[in-house]
């Protein structure tokens, strides 16, 4: 018979991670492990307060389906047992890992991919004074893409300072819902002049209908507005691309279906993450194959990563080893 455990882990960050909603100094994650004889599958998830989640709540959600999981529930059954979110993500990714180990193949083979290629990730620069953001950009100017958190009055000065510090790097700005529509319309032409390639989630989710019909000079990307396929039609009317995260979708199973439907609608794909360890990034590597943007820099923000972790050289992430996941 299977066994199931859910453990809380806390991983300190190199420095405070600051966005428009607040700051954090550690990554608090929930790791689910499903064991079946000598084989075990693991999945890592990050409860997110913006979506009403807590560490305790996610662990409690996992406990509500313990009986079904140990009795043999598979990934398809899990989709109906829990709603999208961190709890389902931890269990779904653990089931993928376990299934791959039982079959003696890699998880990407189960997902229909012949191989898994390395991907280049964005690197995130936290919200802060323009001079601090410029210094961080200067230290990371050789990375292919920098993602800047914005949401303060001097946003334009910060982006201009970063552009001067990293003139050859592609830039994404992420407002995390902090702008009004008028602020977006004012900032977007200026950001275009600074060669910003993408603006992520400018308006608050649920209040972004104003974007329908708006021709932004910088393409817009949905993040908080998109969790699963249920929100996809609305996002397709408002955004040029979507940020798919396993914790929002509730696991790799839904995320793969979401990515396929988004691509069919002509939307660009960003594959994102919460701040977490390599165990959370590993299944997202399958999603990131062929995506326009991979934003899987969580381990780079930690004081230390789990062992074994993903091999990351600069911004290039290698496929996970079987000892890590999948």
């Amino acid at each position: 018979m299977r066994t199931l455990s859910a453990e809380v882990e806390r991983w300190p960050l190199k420095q405070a991670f600051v966005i428009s909603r607040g700051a954090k100094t550690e990554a608090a994650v929930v790791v689910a492990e499903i064991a079946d004889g000598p084989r075990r599958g693991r999945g890592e998830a990050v409860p997110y307060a913006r979506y009403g989640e807590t560490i305790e709540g996610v662990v409690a959600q996992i406990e509500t389906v313990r009986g079904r999981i140990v009795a043999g529930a598979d990934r398809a059954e899990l989709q109906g047992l829990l709603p999208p979110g961190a709890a389902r993500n931890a269990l779904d990714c653990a089931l993928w890992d376990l299934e791959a180990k039982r079959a003696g193949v890699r998880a990407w083979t189960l997902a229909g991919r012949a191989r898994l290629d390395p991907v280049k990730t964005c690197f995130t620069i936290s919200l802060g004074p323009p001079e601090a953001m410029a210094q961080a950009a200067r230290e990371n100017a050789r990375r292919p893409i920098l993602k800047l958190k914005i949401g303060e009055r001097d946003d334009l000065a910060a982006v201009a300072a970063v552009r001067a510090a990293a003139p050859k790097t592609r830039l994404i700005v992420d407002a995390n819902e902090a702008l009004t529509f008028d602020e977006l319309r004012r900032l977007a032409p200026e950001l275009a002049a600074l060669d910003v390639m993408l603006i992520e989630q400018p308006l608050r989710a649920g209040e972004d209908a104003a974007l329908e019909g708006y021709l932004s000079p910088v393409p817009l990307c949905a993040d908080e507005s998109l969790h699963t396929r249920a929100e996809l039609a609305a996002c397709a009317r408002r955004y040029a691309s979507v940020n798919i995260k396993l914790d929002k979708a509730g696991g790799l199973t839904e995320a793969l279906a979401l990515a396929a439907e988004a691509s069919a609608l002509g939307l660009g794909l960003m594959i994102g993450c919460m701040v977490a360890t390599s165990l959370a990034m590993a299944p997202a590597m399958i999603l990131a194959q062929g995506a326009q943007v991979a934003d899987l820099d969580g381990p780079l923000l930690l004081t230390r990563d789990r062992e074994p972790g993903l091999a990351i050289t600069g911004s290039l992430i290698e496929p996970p080893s079987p000892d890590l996941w999948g």
Side-chain angles (χ1 to χ4, degrees):
M1 178 182 286
R2 286 179 178 176
T3 61
L4 167 66
S5 66
E7 301 293 335
V8 177
E9 298 177 352
R10 299 182 185 275
W11 298 80
L13 306 187
K14 292 177 181 176
Q15 57 190 37
F17 184 76
V18 185
I19 67 172
S20 59
R21 281 192 292 271
K24 63 192 300 183
T25 58
E26 66 176 11
V29 307
V30 176
V31 176
E33 180 175 302
I34 304 171
D36 187 358
R39 301 177 182 87
R40 63 174 188 156
R42 297 185 300 165
E44 178 181 319
V46 180
Y48 202 44
R50 169 65 182 86
Y51 307 133
E53 295 178 328
T54 64
I55 285 283
E56 297 78 13
V58 166
V59 172
Q61 272 190 300
I62 291 173
E63 288 300 324
T64 65
V65 297
R66 171 179 292 277
R68 302 289 288 274
I69 296 297
V70 300
D74 61 10
R75 290 185 288 109
E77 185 178 347
L78 176 65
Q79 306 310 300
L81 295 178
L82 287 175
R88 196 175 79 185
N89 178 35
L91 291 171
D92 184 74
C93 290
L95 287 169
W96 274 94
D97 191 20
L98 180 63
E99 185 178 344
K101 288 178 169 60
R102 291 182 63 181
V105 299
R106 298 308 306 270
W108 57 79
T109 302
L110 298 177
R113 297 190 178 277
R115 67 179 192 275
L116 203 66
D117 293 324
V119 299
K120 290 183 179 180
T121 181
C122 296
F123 183 79
T124 303
I125 294 179
S126 288
L127 181 63
E131 57 273 17
M133 295 181 71
Q135 180 58 32
R138 196 170 295 112
E139 294 169 359
N140 292 279
R142 293 188 177 183
R143 296 187 184 274
I145 305 177
L146 294 178
K147 177 171 164 175
L148 318 179
K149 296 294 186 178
I150 66 169
E152 303 248 331
R153 292 182 180 179
D154 55 356
D155 282 335
L156 194 56
V159 178
V162 166
R163 173 49 77 205
K168 297 181 180 180
T169 301
R170 301 167 74 196
L171 299 182
I172 295 170
V173 300
D174 183 6
N176 288 113
E177 309 179 278
L179 302 181
T180 66
F181 186 44
D182 286 343
E183 288 170 336
L184 171 64
R185 290 190 295 182
R186 175 178 60 82
L187 281 174
E190 302 285 355
L191 295 176
L194 291 168
D195 199 24
V196 169
M197 62 178 284
L198 204 64
I199 300 173
E200 191 176 348
Q201 197 66 43
L203 310 186
R204 188 168 178 82
E207 299 176 4
D208 55 356
L211 298 176
E212 295 187 25
Y214 171 59
L215 299 177
S216 176
V218 180
L220 305 180
C221 177
D223 181 4
E224 286 87 349
S225 289
L226 180 81
H227 291 244
T228 68
R229 287 171 286 174
E231 299 87 21
L232 192 54
C235 285
R237 300 193 300 269
R238 301 166 188 175
Y239 298 93
S241 60
V242 292
N243 186 339
I244 299 175
K245 296 176 180 174
L246 299 182
D247 280 308
K248 292 189 301 175
L252 181 60
T253 301
E254 171 62 26
L256 286 168
L258 173 58
E261 290 197 16
S263 294
L265 289 172
L267 288 163
L269 299 182
M270 175 190 290
I271 307 305
C273 68
M274 306 302 185
V275 182
T277 80
S278 285
L279 180 57
M281 306 303 124
M285 288 283 290
I286 297 175
L287 273 179
Q289 301 296 297
Q292 283 80 357
V293 178
D295 182 19
L296 303 177
D297 64 346
L300 296 176
L301 306 177
L302 304 177
T303 300
R304 60 180 180 85
D305 194 9
R306 68 175 71 246
E307 292 287 346
L310 289 167
I312 306 176
T313 305
S315 295
L316 187 70
I317 308 177
E318 299 292 338
S321 68
D323 289 342
L324 173 62
W325 185 86

